[in-house]
Amino acid sequence: MADPIKVLLVDDHQVVRRGLRTFLEVQDDIEVVGEAADGAQGVALAGELQPDVILMDVKMPGMDGVEALRRLREHDHRARVLVVTSFTEQRTVIPALRAGAAGYVYKDIDPDALAGAIRSVHAGHVLLQPEVAGALLSQEESGSGAGRAGSLTEREREVLGLIADGRANREIARALVLSEKTVKTHVSNILMKLDLADRTQAALWAVRHGLSG
């Protein structure tokens, strides 16, 4: 049996953390390893507990979720961050995704869907609710990456399409009969050629330009 997914909860509301813990602890493949009441504590515990997935609120006193995401990225932390929040405004959504969130869902999400979201981001997928993806796309300038698709090789286009389908590097390697190292190189080249910051932007760029499955 595979090791459970280690989850860290970061939310300033104790009631929310308690509710999340109560539900997640009945999942056989998920283990809550810690709780934090703000971003600074969350970053510190991430280094100490080495979680696989962090459930992070955005608006918190002190260090908020966006700054915590930036700090985690600076430290090259391996954890995937799933933002779980009640804030839907673009001015909240966009910075969190730009800072490196692997997913963005709302606190009214169905509990079973939340468990599925945790498993999905842990597997390397990008998970955005439809309106969130739409918000990010609407912020992208129509010229962002435009005209650069021609600089991609055929293999890079294939990799990009699979990224848009939510495939992790391991799955892409298996689908294209490549090594994971080669896939990582292709992903780096794609981001560089299209002037994109991360896989989330790459996935949305591919959808926008008709390269997704």
Side-chain angles (χ1 to χ4, degrees):
M1 183 176 178
D3 293 334
I5 301 169
K6 296 187 293 184
V7 173
L8 172 64
L9 308 177
V10 184
D11 193 294
D12 60 314
H13 291 100
Q14 184 177 5
V15 172
V16 173
R17 298 198 308 271
R18 184 180 300 147
L20 289 171
R21 177 183 281 275
T22 298
F23 168 70
L24 295 176
E25 284 183 340
V26 303
Q27 305 296 314
D28 293 336
D29 60 339
I30 296 174
E31 175 188 3
V32 177
V33 295
E35 299 180 21
D38 59 38
Q41 187 181 13
V43 172
L45 285 178
E48 177 184 337
L49 301 174
Q50 295 296 306
D52 301 306
V53 175
I54 300 174
L55 300 190
M56 179 96 69
D57 195 4
V58 176
K59 298 293 185 181
M60 294 180 286
M63 184 187 294
D64 65 13
V66 173
E67 181 59 28
L69 277 159
R70 295 190 182 113
R71 297 289 181 87
L72 290 169
R73 174 180 276 184
E74 287 174 4
H75 290 87
D76 198 25
H77 199 282
R78 69 182 183 86
R80 304 271 288 170
V81 178
L82 176 63
V83 171
V84 183
T85 186
S86 56
F87 292 91
T88 62
E89 300 92 342
Q90 289 189 13
R91 59 188 175 85
T92 301
V93 174
I94 305 302
L97 296 175
R98 294 282 188 247
Y104 196 111
V105 298
Y106 301 138
K107 285 183 177 176
D108 61 357
I109 187 173
D110 178 85
D112 289 331
L114 177 60
I118 291 170
R119 297 181 184 107
S120 181
V121 298
H122 178 248
H125 300 166
V126 173
L127 184 80
L128 303 176
Q129 294 188 181
E131 59 269 36
V132 175
L136 185 56
L137 280 173
S138 69
Q139 290 295 305
E140 297 288 345
E141 295 181 2
S142 60
S144 178
R148 296 177 181 165
S151 68
L152 298 178
T153 66
E154 185 59 34
R155 180 63 84 187
E156 288 166 351
R157 292 172 70 91
E158 290 176 331
V159 170
L160 181 56
L162 291 172
I163 290 174
D165 290 339
R167 305 287 190 90
N169 284 350
R170 182 176 303 175
E171 296 173 304
I172 295 173
R174 188 180 305 121
L176 299 180
V177 196
L178 300 170
S179 69
E180 282 193 63
K181 183 177 180 180
T182 298
V183 172
K184 289 180 181 178
T185 298
H186 284 315
V187 173
S188 296
N189 289 340
I190 290 166
L191 297 180
M192 179 186 66
K193 289 181 178 181
L194 299 181
D195 193 24
L196 301 173
D198 51 40
R199 293 174 72 97
T200 302
Q201 289 189 23
L204 292 170
W205 190 96
V207 170
R208 186 171 192 172
H209 293 84
L211 295 182
S212 65

